[in-house]
Amino acid sequence: MDRFEILNEPTGTYSIFDRFTELPATAGGKTFIGLYRHEVPLALLAIMEAFRPGAGSLLPSLAVLGGWRQQNDLKDHQSDGLQA
């Protein structure tokens, strides 16, 4: 459970972040941000199920990285011409 962090947002809602990827946790196509307090336990269960051994991708939260970077107009600044 040390991989995930529950953050209380200024709006009074909660987000679950993946400490490994430093992105909002994602499971089953849902990103866990803007949760109400009563939604957090079920969200944690969904995340833990997605991250259990043999559940598929080891880093499902990274699937949102490309879209998040594009949505926030972030560009890769690599001098060697390679793209991540």
Side-chain angles (χ1 to χ4, degrees):
M1 186 77 134
D2 292 335
R3 180 170 178 166
F4 301 102
E5 180 177 6
I6 301 168
L7 299 176
N8 188 352
E9 299 170 341
T11 59
T13 57
Y14 296 85
S15 295
I16 303 173
F17 271 77
D18 184 337
R19 291 180 178 168
F20 186 74
T21 63
E22 297 182 359
L23 294 171
T26 303
K30 180 171 167 116
T31 303
F32 295 102
I33 58 174
L35 302 170
Y36 293 105
R37 185 176 173 167
H38 70 276
E39 296 175 306
V40 172
L42 289 177
L44 281 172
L45 286 174
I47 292 167
M48 295 187 56
E49 178 67 19
F51 280 84
R52 71 175 165 73
S57 173
L58 295 176
L59 300 173
S61 293
L62 285 178
V64 300
L65 179 59
W68 179 84
R69 291 177 64 85
Q70 190 174 46
Q71 183 180 28
N72 291 289
D73 200 27
L74 298 176
K75 308 281 188 243
D76 286 327
H77 298 289
Q78 297 180 355
S79 61
D80 59 7
L82 299 176
Q83 294 183 352

